[in-house]
Amino acid sequence: MTEYHYPTFEHLYPSGVQRYDVRARLIRNYDIFNYNHKGTTKQTWKMIFVDVEGQAIQCNIFGPAIEKFIGRFQEGFIYILLAVQVIFAEGKNKIVPNWKQMIIKEETNVIREEEDDISIPSFHYNLVQLNRLSCHIDCTDRVYDAMGLVLYVSPVENIGVDSFKRDVAIMDTPWTVIKLTLWNDFVHVLDENLNHVDVAPIIVACGLHVKSFYGTYLSTGYHTRVYVNPVNEKTTSLSTWYKSEKLAKIRRDWFRSSTFSLKSSIDISNTPRIRLSQFPSARKVQYCRVVAYACRVDSVDNIIYEACNRCLKKVVIFQGLQKCQSCNLTNTVTIPRLLLRLTIFDKSGNLKVTILHDLAQHLLGCLATEIKSVLQQPNGRNRVMEKVFACFGNRAFSWVLHPPIGDFNPEHSYTVGYVLHVDWAEECMWLNKYIASKKRK
């Protein structure tokens, strides 16, 4: 007896008339979804099948046919579907990147195989590298899959009356870290106790939405599936990379001990490391990071300025009175603010930088009112200068800087976002990678 060979998905062609017999594994079985169409409640049931070649296709059951097949499908099993229709995939709500989809009709016959066949893959991921997710922000009708090492798990947060979420920081092999927001039932797949153990679980999340709010992030949705530590060749490859990369463990430990907010920690982690000579050409990044020393402090006479108590903008003297041009108020109430200007240098060059109020207070360990009070005392200027030198003198720091907007101007002072202590173990590893990349070129 001749064995029947079922066509693979590649050989299915959209047709309103022809029916196909296919053999494939059900890898995702979604809940039946109710929706309103022109005032009428309708139903759709979506599934994803994968064939022997590893190609995935979306499969739908509509309306009256749904009742016939309830209880007939279970994820992980191989099915023979006799007489399915193949049509062009709908443009909206694609859950796999395929230009065609299957439709199970009332006349379709469904046969479940009880014996497994390892030649048909048990998974399919439409993985997108984390550093390329920003390209998909505007694709609101599509979903994507992501895989990464879990660096940090936040506590559960209540949102509104009956919703709650948990934020997770994940990292992939290009060293990109991104926030994944788990909503409602998904918050329980991970626990914040993971922040205190010497592991970094691998998470694979399928059917995610790419969103943007103060940066790109991922969010779960209706078609999401989340898997923790699944075993397959993709996760094994990521696990092997993590075990061999000491820098990955350093990044994990830094994330868990960071005193910054999750957003700031992600911003800092994704900041490219450059030399000062490369700063003028830094573009299309939120920040860039240099390791440098402070070589000069601008006059401390201008370290304090008076700002409007309402908008915190600098006030000007107008006809002997303090005026806020932003609020258009004269004789406004003011508060002292810090503005620290330095020149930093490394072996490749130097750069003028500005440290704004909040960061300056944090680094100097005192409030602007205290600095103002010291400046008003005898020898106060020297005392403030000593405090600044005690903070920055003879030590290298990791400076996280906003890149130039427009043409670079060497006389301009560029804003510092963060100042970090240098992790020399990480720095040495970065230098080794930098030297190796130069040799390859």
Side-chain angles (χ1 to χ4, degrees), residues 271-285:
T271 300
R273 167 73 164 89
I274 64 172
R275 307 176 76 189
L276 281 176
S277 60
Q278 298 170 300
F279 181 79
S281 59
R283 294 293 186 276
K284 296 183 179 180
V285 292

Side-chain angles (χ1 to χ4, degrees), residues 169-435:
I170 63 174
M171 179 179 73
D172 61 3
T173 51
W175 301 97
T176 302
V177 181
I178 200 165
K179 181 180 76 173
L180 166 61
T181 299
L182 303 173
W183 286 94
N184 298 326
D185 292 342
F186 293 111
V187 303
H188 303 297
V189 301
L190 293 170
D191 189 277
E192 60 262 36
N193 289 329
L194 285 170
N195 298 328
H196 309 292
V197 295
D198 190 28
V199 295
I202 293 175
I203 189 170
V204 179
C206 305
L208 298 172
H209 297 278
V210 181
K211 298 192 174 184
S212 178
F213 184 75
Y214 292 102
T216 305
Y217 72 100
L218 294 165
S219 178
T220 56
Y222 185 80
H223 293 110
T224 299
R225 290 288 186 272
V226 178
Y227 310 95
V228 179
N229 290 327
V231 179
N232 54 63
E233 57 264 31
K234 292 184 182 292
T235 56
T236 300
S237 175
L238 180 59
S239 178
T240 302
W241 173 83
Y242 171 70
K243 291 175 181 177
S244 64
E245 278 285 355
K246 292 183 179 179
L247 195 55
K249 297 179 179 64
I250 291 174
R251 185 69 55 86
R252 178 203 68 187
D253 294 341
W254 178 86
F255 238 92
R256 294 177 179 180
S257 62
S258 173
T259 57
F260 297 106
S261 67
L262 180 58
K263 179 189 179 305
S264 295
S265 297
I266 291 174
D267 288 343
I268 293 170
S269 183
N270 289 334
T271 300
R273 167 73 164 89
I274 64 172
R275 307 176 76 189
L276 281 176
S277 60
Q278 298 170 300
F279 181 79
S281 59
R283 294 293 186 276
K284 296 183 179 180
V285 292
Q286 185 177 4
Y287 297 104
C288 50
R289 182 172 65 89
V290 299
V291 173
Y293 293 83
C295 63
R296 189 168 70 85
V297 180
D298 279 9
S299 173
V300 295
D301 295 333
N302 300 320
I303 196 173
I304 292 288
Y305 68 94
E306 295 297 324
C308 172
N309 189 46
R310 296 177 60 183
C311 69
L312 302 181
K313 298 291 181 64
K314 186 177 181 179
V315 299
V316 296
I317 303 301
F318 179 74
Q319 296 180 348
L321 298 174
Q322 292 179 325
K323 180 178 180 179
C324 176
Q325 293 178 321
S326 178
C327 300
N328 197 26
L329 294 175
T330 303
N331 205 21
T332 183
V333 178
T334 64
I335 56 173
R337 301 275 289 179
L338 276 174
L339 188 70
L340 187 57
R341 297 186 188 276
L342 308 170
T343 300
I344 62 174
F345 78 98
D346 65 9
K347 289 185 177 181
S348 68
N350 56 62
L351 182 73
K352 294 180 178 181
V353 298
T354 298
I355 302 176
L356 300 180
H357 176 76
D358 291 335
L359 181 57
Q361 286 192 139
H362 172 72
L363 294 171
L364 295 178
C366 59
L367 301 175
T369 51
E370 297 175 90
I371 295 292
K372 181 179 178 180
S373 176
V374 171
L375 284 172
Q376 293 171 345
Q377 298 173 10
N379 203 33
R381 183 181 182 281
N382 290 338
R383 290 172 59 190
V384 172
M385 188 65 80
E386 288 172 1
K387 192 169 191 65
V388 174
F389 275 111
C391 177
F392 296 104
N394 300 318
R395 280 191 294 171
F397 289 91
S398 188
W399 305 81
V400 180
L401 306 166
H402 292 277
I405 298 175
D407 294 334
F408 173 74
N409 182 356
E411 298 304 316
H412 180 73
S413 186
Y414 291 90
T415 304
V416 177
Y418 306 93
V419 178
L420 311 172
H421 291 290
V422 179
D423 185 326
W424 288 110
E426 180 177 0
E427 184 68 10
C428 289
M429 291 180 191
W430 178 86
L431 287 171
N432 288 333
K433 290 179 180 294
Y434 178 80
I435 293 169

Side-chain angles (χ1 to χ4, degrees), residues 28 30 33-36 44-48 57-60 62 88-98 100-101 126 138-144 207-209 221-224:
R28 266 169 253 160
Y30 296 102
F33 181 71
N34 297 311
Y35 65 99
N36 186 282
T44 181
W45 184 0
K46 291 186 178 183
M47 292 170 268
I48 297 178
I57 196 170
Q58 178 176 316
C59 180
N60 284 17
F62 294 106
F88 288 103
E90 55 189 7
K92 295 183 178 180
N93 302 315
K94 274 190 177 183
I95 53 179
V96 289
N98 200 323
K100 50 197 171 187
Q101 66 183 37
N126 175 31
D138 295 329
C139 303
T140 55
D141 293 326
R142 297 190 180 186
V143 293
Y144 302 90
L208 298 172
H209 297 278
Y222 185 80
H223 293 110
T224 299

Side-chain angles (χ1 to χ4, degrees), residues 19-231:
R19 297 295 185 264
Y20 291 92
D21 299 341
V22 300
R23 179 174 179 264
R25 187 188 301 274
L26 176 61
I27 58 170
R28 266 169 253 160
N29 183 16
Y30 296 102
D31 294 332
I32 297 170
F33 181 71
N34 297 311
Y35 65 99
N36 186 282
H37 179 70
K38 296 181 179 180
T40 303
T41 300
K42 295 192 174 184
Q43 292 183 315
T44 181
W45 184 0
K46 291 186 178 183
M47 292 170 268
I48 297 178
F49 286 88
V50 63
D51 66 8
V52 69
E53 293 183 350
Q55 186 177 0
I57 196 170
Q58 178 176 316
C59 180
N60 284 17
I61 308 178
F62 294 106
I66 289 177
E67 186 175 351
K68 175 183 176 181
F69 296 103
I70 289 178
R72 299 283 300 277
F73 291 99
Q74 185 176 344
E75 285 186 14
F77 281 88
I78 296 171
Y79 290 87
I80 296 174
L81 308 175
L82 303 177
V84 294
Q85 184 183 16
V86 178
I87 64 172
F88 288 103
E90 55 189 7
K92 295 183 178 180
N93 302 315
K94 274 190 177 183
I95 53 179
V96 289
N98 200 323
W99 58 277
K100 50 197 171 187
Q101 66 183 37
M102 296 192 303
I103 305 294
I104 294 179
K105 312 289 285 187
E106 285 190 90
E107 62 268 22
T108 301
N109 189 16
V110 175
I111 303 170
R112 190 176 88 175
E113 294 187 359
E114 297 303 324
E115 292 187 10
D116 196 17
D117 182 353
I118 61 173
S119 66
I120 301 180
S122 59
F123 70 95
H124 175 84
Y125 303 146
N126 175 31
L127 293 177
V128 179
Q129 282 194 338
L130 301 185
N131 60 0
R132 297 188 175 275
L133 284 170
S134 58
C135 303
H136 303 282
I137 290 174
D138 295 329
C139 303
T140 55
D141 293 326
R142 297 190 180 186
V143 293
Y144 302 90
D145 303 344
M147 177 177 68
L149 295 155
V150 177
L151 301 182
Y152 173 80
V153 181
S154 79
V156 175
E157 179 183 354
N158 291 320
I159 305 295
V161 179
D162 54 359
S163 293
F164 41 96
K165 70 165 188 170
R166 187 195 296 279
D167 291 327
V168 179
I170 63 174
M171 179 179 73
D172 61 3
T173 51
W175 301 97
T176 302
V177 181
I178 200 165
K179 181 180 76 173
L180 166 61
T181 299
L182 303 173
W183 286 94
N184 298 326
D185 292 342
F186 293 111
V187 303
H188 303 297
V189 301
L190 293 170
D191 189 277
E192 60 262 36
N193 289 329
L194 285 170
N195 298 328
H196 309 292
V197 295
D198 190 28
V199 295
I202 293 175
I203 189 170
V204 179
C206 305
L208 298 172
H209 297 278
V210 181
K211 298 192 174 184
S212 178
F213 184 75
Y214 292 102
T216 305
Y217 72 100
L218 294 165
S219 178
T220 56
Y222 185 80
H223 293 110
T224 299
R225 290 288 186 272
V226 178
Y227 310 95
V228 179
N229 290 327
V231 179

